Amino acid sequence: MKSIAWPAAGLLMSGCMLLPPDSRMGEAGDVPGSWSATREAKAGIDDDWVGRFGGGDLKALVGEAYEANGDLRAAAARVERAAAVAKGAGAAARPQLNATVSGSRDARNFIGFPIGNGGGGQGVLRSINNTYGAQLGLSWEIDLWGRVRAGEQAALADLQAQGNLYRGARASLAAQVVRSWLLVSELNGQIALAEEALETRRDTAELIRGRFERATGEGQASASQLRLAETDVETARSALEARKGELDQAVRQLEILLGRYPAARFVGESSLPAVKAMPPAGLPSELLLRRPDILAAERQLAAAGRRRDEAFLAFFPSFSLTASGGQSTDQLRNIFDSDFGVWSIAGQLAQPILQGGRLKSQLEVRTAEEKEALANLQQTVLEGFGEVETALAADRFLAARVGAIDSAFEMARDGAESARRDFTLGTGDVLTLLASENRRIDLASQRLTLRRLRLENRVNLHLALGGDYKI
């Protein structure tokens, strides 16, 4: 996809450079000096976080989504629309020149005029007139108080806001692709685990069947144990099909993000990547300069403030100049002959007096919109801080859970091996064997899911910190 130029102030040149409104980020609210969830304040921007998760293949998928995703193309179109609006926002303050060429022919009848040499008769006299003209007209509303300029700056701030929203959409899309890719990788691992579990339960059922066939005096008990083992086999078969269905759904969703037809043809990785080092969190104050949604909210506040100024300045008188020059003749061949030239020039000063409350109402609307934009900025900043704090804290908790589940899995695996060995030697019971194997399989599945959740939380942290700034 064609990149969006940033900043876009260069789009607006009207005799001199039009600057956007000043920043109002200072009104965003109190900013803490450090994160509560971590003592690290390492600064910087990880501009290759996608590659750190999945290398060049994952970066290629994200690039494909950038090119083909419909939502992102719509966001880019909104930037282009805002640029077009900003270009035309100051048209009223620029001289307007129009060229016209006109022609008319009219006839008039005069009844009652005498006809002939003093005779008493009356008749009709017809007069036919031709008029042709060529004219250039110039009009210009002089922006004495800066009302039109305020509207221009508001439109430019809107353009900057849309540019930041586009950046945010790109970062969000990248995060969605990475999360979907991680889910597909986990489900590939879950399917392999489910196939292993099915094979293990089949082996266990055969082992129990062998004991049942050799059993004497315990036939009823052994038969129920065999049925329990066979039930576990069918349960494992159902779990395998469920995992395949989940993978099919996840693959189709990823293909939609990539702009592909959802045909479930994407294969994905067979294992999850390792968890990398934490990204640089920096200081909370840096977040105000990094997150696209915060930057967009600040620009929306700046635009709302300038529109309030525009509504206030509408109470002031307006001054306009008009001028025209050209030719007017009754012969078409003389339309460009300077001997038939005409011209005019006029000035006008207009002061609103009675507007039926329209100007006051408009000012009240703009003032309320500015208050709304300020509240939105402060809430966006607060939510941004919350997302970073939550992701930082969640990483610590998830790391602890992964460590505990890894230890539990190792013990469960040893326990399952011991139970199978005891049962084979005739010293163990069926219920212990089945329970130990079920526990091992469940913990292996939980272990895989927790690894994916920790990786997803890292994606959320990158997104909460503002993405990578690459456009």
Side-chain angles (χ1 to χ4, degrees):
M1 178 179 295
K2 180 177 64 176
S3 63
I4 301 298
W6 192 255
L11 291 172
L12 299 177
M13 297 288 291
S14 57
C16 60
M17 176 67 71
L18 177 67
L19 297 178
D22 293 337
S23 174
R24 299 183 63 176
M25 195 65 79
E27 302 173 53
D30 296 333
V31 179
S34 61
W35 301 110
S36 66
T38 180
R39 294 182 178 179
E40 293 188 31
K42 185 170 60 173
I45 298 171
D46 189 349
D47 59 2
D48 191 34
W49 67 272
V50 174
R52 297 184 198 284
F53 276 92
D57 291 342
L58 182 56
K59 290 173 69 175
L61 287 179
V62 172
E64 181 180 347
Y66 284 166
E67 293 292 331
N69 183 269
D71 290 336
L72 190 61
R73 293 203 309 272
R78 287 192 289 271
V79 177
E80 295 174 0
R81 177 186 178 278
V85 170
K87 283 183 180 179
R94 303 185 187 105
Q96 310 293 313
L97 183 64
N98 297 299
T100 59
V101 176
S102 61
S104 66
R105 182 182 180 89
D106 63 83
R108 297 183 64 185
N109 294 329
F110 298 93
I111 302 175
F113 279 82
I115 300 176
N117 298 322
Q122 294 184 342
V124 178
L125 177 65
R126 173 172 293 180
S127 174
I128 297 177
N129 296 307
N130 297 321
T131 303
Y132 303 97
Q135 182 174 322
L136 287 176
L138 177 67
S139 62
W140 181 23
E141 179 181 348
I142 301 176
D143 192 24
L144 287 176
W145 318 110
R147 179 183 60 83
V148 177
R149 190 175 186 83
E152 285 186 278
Q153 288 185 310
L156 180 53
D158 284 337
L159 171 58
Q160 292 176 316
Q162 286 298 330
N164 280 299
L165 291 175
Y166 172 76
R167 280 181 43 208
R170 280 176 61 97
S172 177
L173 177 59
Q176 290 180 67
V177 171
V178 174
R179 284 194 291 256
S180 295
W181 179 82
L182 289 172
L183 179 58
V184 169
S185 299
E186 183 214 340
L187 290 172
N188 281 328
Q190 294 283 11
I191 287 175
L193 181 61
E195 291 173 342
E196 177 188 347
L198 178 59
E199 189 64 28
T200 298
R201 283 163 174 162
R202 282 173 175 167
D203 292 344
T204 301
E206 289 300 320
L207 191 61
I208 295 173
R209 182 177 288 106
R211 173 178 283 195
F212 169 71
E213 291 173 351
R214 295 191 301 271
T216 56
E218 299 180 358
Q220 186 64 37
S222 295
S224 63
Q225 294 168 358
L226 178 59
R227 286 287 179 252
L228 184 59
E230 291 174 341
T231 299
D232 283 349
V233 171
E234 296 307 312
T235 301
R237 194 193 310 279
S238 175
L240 175 59
E241 294 304 317
R243 291 298 189 187
K244 290 180 178 179
E246 292 172 3
L247 176 62
D248 181 89
Q249 183 177 359
V251 166
R252 293 182 196 275
Q253 184 60 41
L254 176 57
E255 288 172 336
I256 291 174
L257 289 174
L258 298 177
R260 303 181 187 178
Y261 184 83
R265 295 177 180 174
F266 181 79
V267 177
E269 299 293 326
S270 59
S271 60
L272 289 168
V275 178
K276 305 298 182 181
M278 288 285 288
L283 296 173
S285 58
E286 295 174 358
L287 197 70
L288 305 184
L289 305 176
R290 294 177 57 167
R291 277 186 61 127
D293 58 341
I294 293 177
L295 294 170
E298 185 278 325
R299 289 290 82 190
Q300 289 167 346
L301 172 60
R306 293 304 283 152
R307 287 199 169 90
R308 178 187 56 78
D309 295 340
E310 182 184 21
F312 173 74
L313 293 171
F315 287 92
F316 288 67
S318 62
F319 183 68
S320 60
L321 295 174
T322 59
S324 64
Q327 284 77 39
S328 179
T329 177
D330 60 357
Q331 299 293 327
L332 182 60
R333 64 176 178 270
N334 297 326
I335 193 172
F336 296 113
D337 190 338
S338 60
D339 291 339
F340 298 89
V342 294
W343 62 270
S344 68
I345 186 170
Q348 176 178 301
L349 181 66
Q351 169 64 58
I353 298 177
L354 293 176
Q355 297 288 324
R358 179 180 61 86
L359 296 180
K360 183 179 178 181
S361 174
Q362 185 67 16
L363 178 58
E364 291 174 349
V365 169
R366 296 305 190 189
T367 301
E369 289 175 347
E370 184 183 22
K371 292 179 180 178
E372 179 186 5
L374 176 59
N376 286 337
L377 171 62
Q378 293 171 341
Q379 184 65 23
T380 301
V381 169
L382 186 60
E383 291 175 354
F385 288 153
E387 289 175 7
V388 175
E389 294 280 15
T390 299
L392 289 171
D395 187 81
R396 185 172 67 251
F397 297 135
L398 285 168
R401 289 180 63 188
V402 168
I405 208 75
D406 284 345
S407 298
F409 172 75
E410 294 297 331
M411 290 185 285
R413 183 176 59 184
D414 293 342
E417 291 175 355
S418 298
R420 178 173 287 272
R421 183 169 56 252
D422 292 344
F423 187 82
T424 302
L425 295 176
T427 58
D429 63 277
V430 172
L431 295 180
T432 300
L433 174 61
L434 294 177
S436 62
E437 288 183 344
N438 288 339
R439 186 174 294 110
R440 178 186 67 83
I441 292 169
D442 289 344
L443 286 172
S445 177
Q446 292 180 40
R447 185 182 180 214
L448 200 55
T449 298
L450 271 178
R451 285 184 58 200
R452 193 255 306 168
L453 289 176
R454 191 179 181 197
L455 288 166
E456 276 194 4
N457 185 68
R458 286 293 179 85
V459 175
N460 295 339
L461 179 56
H462 280 286
L463 190 60
L465 290 172
D468 58 12
Y469 271 46
K470 282 191 173 181
I471 302 300

